[in-house]
Structure formats: C-alpha cells, structure tokens
Amino acid sequence: MIRRYGLAGAVGRGALVLAGAAGLLTLGPSGSAPGPATVVAPPPPADRLAAARLAAGQRPQDATAWAELALAAVDRARTTLDSGQLAEADRALARSLDLGPERNYLAQVGSGQLANARHEFAAAREFGLRATGMAPDRPAGYAVLADAELQLGHLPAATAATQRLLDLAPTTAAYTRASYDLETHGRTEEAVLALERALELAVTPGERGFSAHRLGDLAWEQGRPEQAEQHYRHALAVQPDDHFAAFGLARTAAASGRTEEALGRYAELVTRVPQPQFLLEYAELLLSDGHRAEAEQQLATLAAEARLATGPVDLQLARYLADHGDPAEAVRLLTEEWQRRQSPLVAEELAWALHRAGRDGEALPQIRFAAEAGGAGALGAYRGGVIEHALGLPGAAELLRTALRRNPYFSVRYAAHARELLG
C-alpha cells in the first residue's frame, strides 16, 4: 500500500510532521520513546578517505579501520563516480571480514552501501537487515535499508527505515534520505525543508556539497533554474569534484538560454566522466542546436556503453536505447529489471520504452503506477500525456500542461514536443 502524506503542521525547533492514515514520517526525533544517549563526537577530518587510508595503514590488524576505509571509499565514489573507489571499498571489506568475521557491524553496513552503489538492491537490503538485526539501536544499518527498500519499490518499508534513522540520529544522512522519501511521495516542499535541515547539520565538505546539489535538483524539478544554479555553485564551492553539481550547472545554463556555455560545460564534464545521463543530455542539446555530427559522437559512446553493460540495468542507458537506439531491447532489459524491483522509477522507464516500441496499451498501466506512487515529475507527466495522447484518452492535454507547469525546461527535446502537442 502506498502511503499518503499530508502536512499536519510544524512543531518546535523547526521540525516538521508529515502524517497520513497509513503512516507517519516525522522529520526529527518523535519524542514518543527515549532514544540512545547523544554522544558528542569530534568533527570528522576534511578528507575522510585520506584519514581512513592512513588509519588502516597504521592499524593493519584492525577490522574496524578497514571497514571505515570501505565506508569512506563508497562515500567518495558517490559524487566522483570513480569505480576504482568502489573496488577499493570491496578490498577493504574483504580485509575487515577476514580479520573480524563475526558480529562485524561496520562491515555489514559497508557491504550494504557498496551493494546499493552497484545497484544490487536486493543484496543491499539483506545486508541492511543483518546490520539492523545485529544492532537495532545503531543508525547506519537503517540508512542502508532505507536506500535499498526505496529502490526496490518497497515504499512503506523505506519510510519505516527512514523514520527509525531519523529517530536514532537526526543528522545530515538522515535528512537527505527523508528528502528522497518525501520526493518519492510527491511532497516536494517538505523534501526541500528536509534538505535545508540536512545542509544546516552538515559537518564535512561532502555532506555540504551533497545537500546543496540535491537542493539544486529539487529547484530544477520545480522549474527554477536560477535558484538551482545558486545551489549547484554552492555545492561545487565546497566539493569541487561533485560531478552532479557540474551537470546541474550545464542544465541551468541551457535553460537560461546560455547555450554555448552549456555546451562547453557538458563537453568538459563528459570528457572527465562519460556517465550515461551526462552523455544523453549533452547529445540532445547538440541535436537541438544543430550540431548533429558532435551529437552522433556522444550517442556512439552511449551505444558502446550499452553493448558493454553487465549486471543491473542502468536506467539512463535504457532511456538512451528507447529514444535513440533499439526500443525493443530497452523493453527487454527494463522488463527484466521490473521483475527484480517494482520501483516507480523502473515503471516509468518501462512505460516509455513500451511507448517507443509502439505498445501504448501495455505502457499505460506502468506510467499510471509511476504517477500514483507520487514520484512522477515533469518528465513523468509528459510521458503520461504522450501515452494517453497516443491512445486518444481525454486526460492527455492536462498531463502535458502539468509537465510544463512543473518545469518548462524539463527536457530540451521533449518540452518542445509537449508544446507542439498542445498547440
């Protein structure tokens, strides 16, 4: 059952309560039961990964030091997208478990974080359950569990894990996850409040940068490119290797009509990090600006990545296949992914692939599932409108208007198409 949240009201010290008949998410300790005693820890080092490497080198027989190294490596990989850091985390976890095979809580947490980073969400859920079963009053296991349950489409379970995390440790890590949970349920304004709180509580450059760039993402989704740009610049000022913030600046430049600047930013970014989403949006901006040869180069890179891809489906590569490659192959891959996880994100991409393959009747329940979960943004509303338009359904025009109302800049390619269909 999908939980429906309503704003019950603000409570003391800026906390926010979101309540509904099916559940409760309180942004801050609930106060219904005493939590563990608050421990005032020293501030973490500015470079957590370097400090963790040093500690593991100084204490090579310490299982905890190796687990901490793994956690730091996964955290760095989250923004740098450096797969080498995930490999380092894998090695550090193996060493930690070799030294401490029993009751190694941090290694279970690290294994869960690594599995989430690799999109192995079912495995991550198992690690999260082990960690929370091992230590029900320690927060890190609930962070792993919340991430995995959300990606698996287990939305009530994700909310429950997020709430437990908030109750145990209302830190930046908890509030950023609360923002994801709220955004998934379509509660964008509350998600912004959660991220603002996350930014207030941030103590490392990584935490500050991540919170700021996520605020930029939410501003972008609300059709506010100028505000988004401010957040992205803040993120890069404190965390210069935050590639998603750099991507955001390219997006906002394009939305603001600074096309040459946007193209330059995209070009620099994909040279450093040829990530599918970056390549795809760069190619579509090139196409819209008449640079077909350069766009074909980016699409060729995406085609090569799609051929070489193994393991869980990258949703951005599936989007490339649906829009610029082989829609039937996108349907095949996304159908397999849907069998693994019934996530609104997967449902939306599968619906679009089915539409592109000419199977709109099959696409309709998938796009409606994604919308009913509450997480469909402007792109999701557009896709729903296009599918309903193809089927001759009366709700198509309103969905297309909703997409443009939410974010007139949601896609260089498809925002123009929405206007054309409404024209």
Side-chain angles (χ1 to χ4, degrees):
M1 179 177 180
I2 302 300
R3 298 190 180 198
R4 299 298 181 194
Y5 298 100
L7 182 59
V11 296
R13 297 180 301 280
L16 184 70
V17 178
L18 299 174
L24 176 73
L25 179 60
T26 306
L27 298 189
S30 65
S32 59
T38 301
V39 177
V40 179
D47 191 334
R48 179 187 177 192
L49 182 57
R53 286 171 176 160
L54 179 62
Q58 292 173 338
R59 306 196 307 274
Q61 301 304 311
D62 185 342
T64 298
W66 288 101
E68 292 281 7
L69 173 55
L71 293 169
V74 172
D75 184 62
R76 180 66 63 84
R78 176 171 48 81
T79 52
T80 63
L81 305 176
D82 183 348
S83 61
Q85 285 163 350
L86 294 182
E88 180 178 9
D90 213 348
R91 293 190 298 271
L93 286 167
R95 179 64 175 156
S96 178
L97 288 165
D98 184 53
L99 292 167
E102 301 296 330
R103 306 292 297 176
N104 191 335
Y105 174 81
L106 281 183
Q108 295 299 319
V109 169
S111 297
Q113 288 191 4
L114 181 60
N116 273 326
R118 288 175 167 166
H119 293 189
E120 297 165 354
F121 301 117
R125 179 177 182 271
E126 291 303 312
F127 285 120
L129 289 171
R130 283 184 213 165
T132 55
M134 189 182 297
D137 291 331
R138 296 181 69 177
Y142 294 99
V144 170
L145 193 56
D147 293 346
E149 299 283 27
L150 188 65
Q151 292 294 333
L152 288 167
H154 304 162
L155 302 188
T159 297
T162 302
Q163 183 63 70
R164 182 64 174 153
L165 177 61
L166 281 163
D167 289 344
L168 289 171
T171 60
T172 293
Y175 279 101
T176 53
R177 285 170 174 84
S179 76
Y180 273 121
D181 189 275
L182 292 161
E183 185 182 6
T184 298
H185 290 90
R187 310 300 298 181
T188 306
E189 291 182 4
E190 292 90 337
V192 170
L193 291 173
L195 280 173
E196 288 174 346
R197 183 63 175 146
L199 187 57
E200 289 174 6
L201 294 170
V203 293
T204 68
E207 288 181 342
R208 288 193 291 274
F210 182 74
S211 300
H213 104 226
R214 284 287 298 127
L215 279 166
D217 292 344
L218 288 181
W220 170 260
E221 289 295 333
Q222 293 174 295
R224 301 171 181 170
E226 296 85 0
Q227 183 180 350
E229 183 171 336
Q230 292 176 5
H231 289 304
Y232 292 136
R233 290 188 183 280
H234 179 193
L236 285 168
V238 296
Q239 187 74 10
D241 59 359
D242 187 333
H243 300 310
F244 285 102
F247 170 62
L249 284 182
R251 268 183 160 181
T252 56
S256 301
R258 307 192 313 269
T259 305
E260 288 304 313
E261 177 190 337
L263 290 171
R265 288 187 179 278
Y266 276 121
E268 181 184 359
L269 180 61
V270 300
T271 299
R272 290 183 285 121
V273 192
Q275 201 262 357
Q277 185 178 10
F278 305 163
L279 288 162
L280 184 56
E281 293 207 13
Y282 180 31
E284 292 187 343
L285 181 60
L286 285 165
L287 285 171
S288 74
D289 204 46
H291 302 289
R292 176 161 291 276
E294 294 94 327
E296 292 296 338
Q297 293 174 11
Q298 311 311 315
L299 295 174
T301 302
L302 281 163
E305 291 189 9
R307 287 193 300 271
L308 296 171
T310 59
V313 177
D314 184 302
L315 297 184
Q316 297 295 330
L317 278 179
R319 183 178 297 184
Y320 151 75
L321 287 170
D323 279 342
H324 301 279
D326 182 351
E329 177 65 4
V331 169
R332 184 187 71 80
L333 291 171
L334 288 164
T335 300
E336 291 177 358
E337 188 69 7
W338 176 251
Q339 291 168 351
R340 285 188 287 267
R341 56 182 181 122
Q342 279 76 57
S343 161
L345 297 173
V346 179
E348 183 182 320
E349 295 302 332
L350 176 55
W352 188 245
L354 286 164
H355 162 73
R356 297 289 293 175
R359 297 161 62 179
D360 290 292
E362 297 169 74
L364 186 62
Q366 292 289 341
I367 199 67
R368 286 184 171 175
F369 172 86
E372 287 167 5
L379 180 61
Y382 161 79
R383 287 168 160 177
V386 169
I387 291 166
E388 296 212 8
H389 181 270
L391 293 169
L393 297 176
E398 181 55 33
L399 283 167
L400 293 170
R401 283 193 288 268
T402 296
L404 294 170
R405 186 168 59 247
R406 286 178 179 170
N407 182 6
Y409 319 101
F410 72 88
S411 166
V412 169
R413 178 180 185 183
Y414 288 128
H417 184 231
R419 295 184 183 94
E420 179 183 334
L421 289 177
L422 288 169

